[in-house]
Amino acid sequence: MNEIKKKILSLKNERNALILAHYYQPLPVQDISDAVGDSFALAKLAQKAEQDTIILCGVRFMAESAKILCPGKTVYLPSESAGCPMADMVTPEDVLELKRRYPDAAVVCYVNSSAAVKAVSDICCTSSSAEKIVRSIPNRQIIFVPDKNLGAYVAKKVPEKEIILFDGFCPIHDAVSLSDAAAAKQALPDAKLLAHPECRPEVLSQADYIGSTAGILDYARSSSAQKFIVGTETGVCEILKRELPGKTIVPVKENFVCPDMKKTSLEDVLACLEGRRNPIELPENELLGARASLERMVDIE
Ligand code: 13P
Ligand code: SF4
């Protein structure tokens, strides 16, 4: 084991810290983590954590969610500039304006959003819980922010609800075109296309399976198919290639990379453990409001 890994593992025990990583994180970061998961799993693991310190290897909204669910703990985001461009597309003012226009609607907010946006929403969801959350709400009208692609996917699944979409999207997933999906399928005709619901509707229409990062991994792990086209960030492809060396695993398009997710280094994780990073701090009003929305989500599962 190299020096930095040894230091991280021994300091992690000394500091009573839990290291969590998203599936899009660089593999060396996933390898030193206590658990790896999709956004929903990470939120639940943070909520149940017994450790005093949580190091969330991912992007800002993930570390903020951990802090919101565990306000008494010290939560670090190793790469402090790692954000989510989709989360930055919606503001609390946008949500309040939609609420004024649709006073009977409930607001469902994708966790890929700021704490301030969560605080003015009724309930949060992740890609793996969105359908269930929307079904659980008594209101017929639902304002869904910020991801129009995930919102449109849920609207198709739950036609009895009127879903009011916001014009946000993930620049990484939304960049996959129908022709990318068609070309990948033509090159590998007997492969299963597994897509994340942040992809455009026309891409999802070509998919054999649609689900969160964890859902895509589970599908490929348990399927008897031999070939898979992965319609999400390259981290999922890398995990599958390593786990299933006998199977053919290709990305739906080249350079399917979330640059923010790739910012975390082992040095950044060590910096958290050595007190060289600032823990996540949120204003009390955002913390309280966002906690209600996130806890409602976690309680539904
Ligand atoms: P998951 O909840 O599926 O892990 O997705 C998070 C994300 O940021 C997808 O781009
Ligand atoms: Fe945000 Fe897209 Fe990156 Fe996920 S892949 S963190 S939605 S920018």
Side-chain angles (χ1 to χ4, degrees):
M1 197 188 295
N2 68 27
E3 219 35 55
I4 190 156
K5 276 192 189 174
K6 270 193 216 154
K7 267 195 191 165
I8 289 173
L9 296 180
S10 88
L11 267 177
K12 179 174 80 95
N13 292 335
E14 223 174 89
R15 294 270 321 254
N16 192 24
L18 176 71
I19 306 180
L20 301 175
H22 188 266
Y23 291 124
Y24 296 163
Q25 288 291 288
L27 287 180
V29 172
Q30 294 190 31
D31 290 343
I32 53 90
S33 297
D34 294 295
V36 185
D38 69 359
S39 307
F40 192 72
L42 295 177
K44 282 205 297 191
L45 286 165
Q47 196 192 35
K48 284 193 299 192
E50 282 162 9
Q51 290 84 346
D52 316 315
T53 299
I54 298 174
I55 300 177
L56 203 315
C57 305
V59 293
R60 182 158 293 273
F61 76 81
M62 296 178 173
E64 284 187 355
S65 295
K67 179 67 185 175
I68 292 162
L69 288 168
C70 323
K73 294 188 192 292
T74 306
V75 178
Y76 291 101
L77 173 66
S79 170
E80 290 172 314
S81 67
C84 168
M86 164 153 62
D88 297 337
M89 288 181 187
V90 63
T91 65
E93 290 70 34
D94 293 326
V95 176
L96 294 173
E97 171 57 23
L98 281 165
K99 275 167 95 158
R100 274 191 289 274
R101 274 171 59 196
Y102 301 96
D104 296 332
V107 181
V108 177
C109 153
Y110 192 27
V111 280
N112 300 41
S113 54
S114 66
V117 165
K118 289 181 176 77
V120 292
S121 300
D122 294 297
I123 187 166
C124 292
C125 74
T126 64
S127 58
S128 53
S129 63
E131 185 185 336
K132 197 169 180 183
I133 299 284
V134 165
R135 281 189 201 283
S136 76
I137 293 168
N139 310 47
R140 195 187 65 80
Q141 270 190 333
I142 300 208
I143 297 165
F144 192 96
V145 298
D147 188 3
K148 63 179 175 186
N149 292 333
L150 176 63
Y153 170 70
V154 175
K156 247 180 132 177
K157 289 270 182 184
V158 195
E160 62 274 26
K161 303 277 184 191
E162 183 194 343
I163 313 271
I164 296 134
L165 300 175
F166 183 79
D167 193 22
F169 56 90
C170 163
I172 318 300
H173 286 80
D174 193 70
V176 182
S177 65
L178 179 58
S179 57
D180 289 326
K185 283 177 88 161
Q186 205 178 9
L188 218 53
D190 45 352
K192 300 276 185 208
L193 172 60
L194 318 178
H196 195 281
E198 288 175 10
C199 292
R200 292 182 192 180
E202 63 267 30
V203 172
L204 297 181
S205 72
Q206 301 300 304
D208 297 285
Y209 173 79
I210 300 166
S212 73
T213 51
I216 290 174
L217 285 163
D218 288 348
Y219 183 98
R221 284 169 179 147
S222 59
S223 166
S224 57
Q226 293 302 307
K227 297 176 187 172
F228 301 99
I229 300 163
V230 180
T232 193
E233 208 267 354
T234 186
V236 171
C237 237
E238 285 166 25
I239 295 171
L240 286 174
K241 278 186 185 159
R242 188 162 75 170
E243 275 185 29
L244 309 171
K247 301 207 175 186
T248 305
I249 291 146
V250 297
V252 68
K253 75 188 248 296
E254 290 308 315
N255 295 321
F256 200 161
V257 178
C258 173
D260 282 271
M261 279 285 185
K262 301 305 188 216
K263 285 181 177 172
T264 322
S265 66
L266 291 179
E267 172 53 39
D268 290 324
V269 178
L270 184 62
C272 298
L273 290 162
E274 290 181 342
R276 292 185 281 117
R277 288 287 182 275
N278 294 315
I280 298 279
E281 299 282 359
L282 288 165
E284 196 60 23
N285 59 332
E286 287 182 14
L287 206 67
L288 283 175
R291 191 179 319 147
S293 299
L294 265 177
E295 280 180 348
R296 278 185 208 118
M297 169 187 90
V298 178
D299 288 348
I300 298 262
E301 192 62 4

Coordinates of all heavy atoms in Angstrom, one line a residue, residues 190-238:
D190 N -26.1 -6.4 -30.2 CA -26.8 -7.2 -29.1 C -26.5 -6.7 -27.7 O -26.7 -7.5 -26.8 CB -26.4 -8.7 -29.3 CG -24.9 -8.8 -29.6 OD1 -24.2 -7.8 -29.8 OD2 -24.4 -10.0 -29.6
A191 N -26.0 -5.5 -27.6 CA -25.7 -4.9 -26.2 C -27.0 -4.3 -25.6 O -27.9 -3.8 -26.3 CB -24.6 -3.9 -26.3
K192 N -27.0 -4.3 -24.3 CA -28.1 -3.6 -23.6 C -27.6 -2.1 -23.3 O -26.5 -1.9 -22.8 CB -28.3 -4.2 -22.2 CG -28.7 -5.7 -22.3 CD -30.2 -5.8 -22.5 CE -30.7 -7.2 -22.5 NZ -31.9 -7.5 -23.3
L193 N -28.5 -1.2 -23.7 CA -28.2 0.2 -23.4 C -28.8 0.6 -22.0 O -30.0 0.5 -21.8 CB -28.8 1.2 -24.5 CG -28.7 2.7 -24.2 CD1 -27.3 3.2 -24.0 CD2 -29.4 3.5 -25.3
L194 N -27.9 1.0 -21.1 CA -28.4 1.3 -19.7 C -28.2 2.8 -19.5 O -27.1 3.3 -19.7 CB -27.5 0.6 -18.7 CG -27.2 -0.9 -19.0 CD1 -26.3 -1.5 -17.9 CD2 -28.5 -1.7 -19.1
A195 N -29.3 3.5 -19.3 CA -29.2 5.0 -19.3 C -29.6 5.6 -18.0 O -30.6 5.1 -17.3 CB -30.0 5.6 -20.4
H196 N -29.0 6.8 -17.6 CA -29.4 7.5 -16.4 C -30.5 8.5 -16.9 O -30.5 9.0 -18.0 CB -28.2 8.3 -15.9 CG -28.4 8.9 -14.6 ND1 -29.1 10.0 -14.3 CD2 -27.9 8.4 -13.4 CE1 -29.1 10.2 -13.0 NE2 -28.4 9.2 -12.4
P197 N -31.5 8.7 -16.0 CA -32.7 9.5 -16.4 C -32.3 11.0 -16.6 O -33.2 11.8 -16.9 CB -33.7 9.3 -15.2 CG -32.9 8.8 -14.1 CD -31.7 8.0 -14.7
E198 N -31.1 11.4 -16.3 CA -30.7 12.8 -16.7 C -30.4 12.9 -18.2 O -30.2 14.0 -18.6 CB -29.4 13.2 -15.9 CG -29.6 13.4 -14.4 CD -28.4 13.7 -13.6 OE1 -27.3 13.9 -14.2 OE2 -28.4 13.7 -12.4
C199 N -30.4 11.8 -18.9 CA -30.3 11.8 -20.4 C -31.6 12.4 -21.0 O -32.6 12.3 -20.4 CB -30.0 10.5 -20.9 SG -28.3 9.8 -20.5
R200 N -31.5 12.9 -22.2 CA -32.7 13.4 -22.9 C -33.7 12.3 -23.2 O -33.3 11.1 -23.4 CB -32.2 14.0 -24.3 CG -31.4 15.2 -24.2 CD -31.1 15.6 -25.6 NE -30.0 16.6 -25.5 CZ -29.6 17.2 -26.6 NH1 -30.0 16.9 -27.8 NH2 -28.6 18.1 -26.5
P201 N -35.0 12.7 -23.3 CA -36.0 11.7 -23.5 C -35.8 10.8 -24.8 O -36.0 9.6 -24.7 CB -37.3 12.6 -23.7 CG -37.0 13.8 -23.0 CD -35.5 14.1 -23.1
E202 N -35.3 11.4 -25.8 CA -35.0 10.6 -27.1 C -33.9 9.6 -26.9 O -34.0 8.5 -27.5 CB -34.8 11.5 -28.3 CG -33.5 12.4 -28.2 CD -33.8 13.8 -27.7 OE1 -34.7 14.0 -26.8 OE2 -33.0 14.7 -28.0
V203 N -33.0 9.8 -26.0 CA -32.0 8.9 -25.7 C -32.6 7.8 -24.8 O -32.4 6.6 -25.0 CB -30.8 9.5 -25.0 CG1 -29.8 8.5 -24.4 CG2 -30.1 10.5 -25.9
L204 N -33.4 8.2 -23.8 CA -34.0 7.2 -22.9 C -35.0 6.3 -23.7 O -35.1 5.1 -23.3 CB -34.8 7.9 -21.8 CG -34.0 8.8 -20.8 CD1 -34.8 9.4 -19.8 CD2 -32.8 8.0 -20.2
S205 N -35.6 6.8 -24.8 CA -36.5 6.0 -25.6 C -35.7 4.8 -26.2 O -36.4 3.8 -26.6 CB -37.2 6.8 -26.6 OG -36.2 7.1 -27.7
Q206 N -34.4 4.9 -26.3 CA -33.6 3.8 -26.9 C -33.1 2.8 -25.8 O -32.5 1.8 -26.2 CB -32.4 4.4 -27.6 CG -32.7 5.3 -28.7 CD -33.6 4.7 -29.8 OE1 -33.2 3.7 -30.4 NE2 -34.8 5.2 -30.0
A207 N -33.3 3.1 -24.5 CA -32.7 2.4 -23.5 C -33.4 1.1 -23.1 O -34.6 1.0 -23.2 CB -32.5 3.2 -22.2
D208 N -32.6 0.0 -22.8 CA -33.2 -1.2 -22.2 C -33.4 -1.1 -20.8 O -34.3 -1.8 -20.2 CB -32.2 -2.4 -22.5 CG -32.0 -2.6 -24.0 OD1 -32.9 -3.1 -24.6 OD2 -30.9 -2.1 -24.5
Y209 N -32.7 -0.2 -20.1 CA -32.9 0.0 -18.7 C -32.6 1.4 -18.4 O -31.6 2.0 -18.9 CB -31.9 -0.9 -17.8 CG -32.0 -0.6 -16.4 CD1 -33.0 -1.1 -15.6 CD2 -31.0 0.2 -15.8 CE1 -33.1 -0.7 -14.2 CE2 -31.1 0.6 -14.4 CZ -32.1 0.1 -13.7 OH -32.2 0.4 -12.3
I210 N -33.4 2.0 -17.5 CA -33.2 3.4 -17.1 C -33.2 3.4 -15.5 O -34.1 2.9 -14.9 CB -34.4 4.3 -17.5 CG1 -34.5 4.3 -19.1 CG2 -34.2 5.8 -17.0 CD1 -35.8 4.9 -19.6
G211 N -32.1 4.0 -15.0 CA -32.0 4.0 -13.5 C -30.9 4.9 -13.0 O -30.0 5.4 -13.8
S212 N -30.8 4.9 -11.7 CA -29.7 5.7 -11.1 C -28.3 5.0 -11.3 O -28.3 3.9 -11.9 CB -29.9 5.8 -9.6 OG -29.7 4.5 -9.0
T213 N -27.3 5.6 -10.9 CA -26.0 4.9 -11.0 C -26.0 3.6 -10.3 O -25.5 2.6 -10.9 CB -24.9 5.8 -10.4 OG1 -25.2 6.2 -9.1 CG2 -24.6 7.1 -11.3
A214 N -26.6 3.5 -9.2 CA -26.6 2.2 -8.4 C -27.5 1.2 -9.2 O -27.2 0.0 -9.3 CB -27.2 2.4 -7.0
G215 N -28.6 1.7 -9.8 CA -29.5 0.8 -10.6 C -28.8 0.3 -11.8 O -28.9 -0.9 -12.1
I216 N -28.0 1.1 -12.5 CA -27.3 0.7 -13.7 C -26.3 -0.4 -13.3 O -26.2 -1.5 -13.9 CB -26.6 1.9 -14.4 CG1 -27.7 2.7 -15.0 CG2 -25.6 1.4 -15.4 CD1 -27.2 4.0 -15.6
L217 N -25.6 -0.2 -12.2 CA -24.6 -1.2 -11.7 C -25.2 -2.5 -11.4 O -24.8 -3.5 -11.8 CB -23.8 -0.6 -10.5 CG -22.8 0.5 -10.9 CD1 -22.4 1.3 -9.6 CD2 -21.5 -0.1 -11.5
D218 N -26.3 -2.4 -10.6 CA -27.0 -3.6 -10.2 C -27.5 -4.4 -11.4 O -27.5 -5.6 -11.5 CB -28.2 -3.3 -9.3 CG -27.8 -2.9 -7.9 OD1 -26.6 -3.0 -7.6 OD2 -28.6 -2.3 -7.2
Y219 N -28.1 -3.6 -12.4 CA -28.6 -4.3 -13.6 C -27.5 -5.1 -14.3 O -27.7 -6.2 -14.6 CB -29.2 -3.2 -14.6 CG -29.9 -3.9 -15.8 CD1 -31.2 -4.1 -15.8 CD2 -29.1 -4.2 -16.9 CE1 -31.8 -4.7 -16.9 CE2 -29.7 -4.8 -18.0 CZ -31.0 -5.0 -18.0 OH -31.6 -5.6 -19.1
A220 N -26.4 -4.4 -14.5 CA -25.3 -5.1 -15.3 C -24.7 -6.2 -14.5 O -24.4 -7.3 -15.1 CB -24.2 -4.0 -15.6
R221 N -24.6 -6.1 -13.2 CA -24.0 -7.2 -12.3 C -24.9 -8.4 -12.4 O -24.4 -9.5 -12.4 CB -23.9 -6.7 -10.9 CG -22.8 -5.8 -10.6 CD -22.9 -5.1 -9.3 NE -21.8 -4.2 -9.0 CZ -21.9 -3.1 -8.2 NH1 -23.0 -2.8 -7.7 NH2 -20.8 -2.4 -8.0
S222 N -26.2 -8.2 -12.4 CA -27.1 -9.4 -12.3 C -27.6 -9.9 -13.6 O -28.3 -10.9 -13.7 CB -28.3 -9.1 -11.4 OG -29.0 -8.0 -11.9
S223 N -27.4 -9.2 -14.7 CA -27.9 -9.6 -16.0 C -27.1 -10.7 -16.7 O -25.8 -10.8 -16.5 CB -27.9 -8.3 -17.0 OG -28.1 -8.7 -18.3
S224 N -27.7 -11.5 -17.4 CA -27.0 -12.6 -18.1 C -26.4 -12.1 -19.5 O -25.7 -12.8 -20.1 CB -27.9 -13.8 -18.4 OG -29.0 -13.4 -19.1
A225 N -26.8 -10.8 -19.8 CA -26.3 -10.3 -21.1 C -24.8 -10.1 -21.0 O -24.2 -10.0 -19.9 CB -26.9 -8.9 -21.4
Q226 N -24.1 -10.1 -22.2 CA -22.7 -10.1 -22.2 C -22.1 -8.7 -22.6 O -20.9 -8.5 -22.4 CB -22.1 -11.1 -23.3 CG -22.4 -12.6 -22.9 CD -21.8 -13.0 -21.5 OE1 -20.6 -12.8 -21.3 NE2 -22.6 -13.5 -20.6
K227 N -23.0 -7.9 -23.2 CA -22.5 -6.6 -23.7 C -23.4 -5.4 -23.2 O -24.6 -5.6 -23.2 CB -22.5 -6.6 -25.2 CG -21.6 -7.6 -25.8 CD -21.7 -7.7 -27.3 CE -20.8 -8.8 -27.8 NZ -21.0 -9.1 -29.2
F228 N -22.7 -4.4 -22.7 CA -23.5 -3.2 -22.2 C -23.0 -1.9 -22.7 O -21.7 -1.7 -22.8 CB -23.4 -3.2 -20.7 CG -23.9 -4.4 -20.0 CD1 -23.1 -5.4 -19.6 CD2 -25.3 -4.6 -19.8 CE1 -23.5 -6.6 -19.0 CE2 -25.8 -5.7 -19.2 CZ -24.9 -6.8 -18.8
I229 N -23.9 -1.0 -23.1 CA -23.5 0.3 -23.5 C -24.0 1.2 -22.3 O -25.1 1.2 -21.9 CB -24.3 0.8 -24.7 CG1 -23.9 -0.1 -25.9 CG2 -24.0 2.2 -25.1 CD1 -24.9 0.0 -27.1
V230 N -23.0 1.9 -21.7 CA -23.3 2.6 -20.4 C -23.7 4.1 -20.7 O -22.8 4.8 -21.2 CB -22.1 2.5 -19.4 CG1 -22.5 3.2 -18.1 CG2 -21.9 1.0 -19.1
G231 N -24.9 4.4 -20.4 CA -25.4 5.8 -20.6 C -25.3 6.7 -19.4 O -26.3 7.3 -19.0
T232 N -24.2 6.7 -18.8 CA -23.9 7.6 -17.7 C -22.4 7.9 -17.6 O -21.7 7.3 -18.4 CB -24.6 7.1 -16.3 OG1 -24.6 8.2 -15.4 CG2 -23.8 5.9 -15.7
E233 N -22.1 8.7 -16.6 CA -20.7 9.1 -16.5 C -19.7 7.9 -16.4 O -20.0 6.9 -15.9 CB -20.6 10.0 -15.2 CG -19.5 11.0 -15.2 CD -18.2 10.6 -14.6 OE1 -18.1 9.5 -14.1 OE2 -17.2 11.4 -14.7
T234 N -18.5 8.2 -16.9 CA -17.5 7.1 -17.1 C -17.1 6.3 -15.9 O -16.7 5.2 -16.0 CB -16.3 7.7 -17.8 OG1 -15.4 6.7 -18.1 CG2 -15.5 8.7 -16.9
G235 N -17.3 6.9 -14.7 CA -17.0 6.2 -13.5 C -17.7 4.9 -13.4 O -17.2 3.9 -12.9
V236 N -19.0 4.9 -13.8 CA -19.8 3.6 -13.8 C -19.2 2.6 -14.7 O -19.1 1.4 -14.4 CB -21.3 3.9 -14.0 CG1 -22.1 2.7 -14.2 CG2 -21.8 4.8 -12.9
C237 N -18.8 3.0 -15.9 CA -18.1 2.2 -16.9 C -16.8 1.5 -16.3 O -16.6 0.4 -16.4 CB -17.7 3.0 -18.1 SG -18.4 2.5 -19.6
E238 N -16.1 2.4 -15.6 CA -14.8 1.9 -15.1 C -15.0 0.9 -14.0 O -14.3 -0.1 -13.9 CB -14.0 3.1 -14.4 CG -13.4 4.0 -15.5 CD -12.9 5.3 -14.9 OE1 -12.6 5.4 -13.7 OE2 -12.8 6.3 -15.7

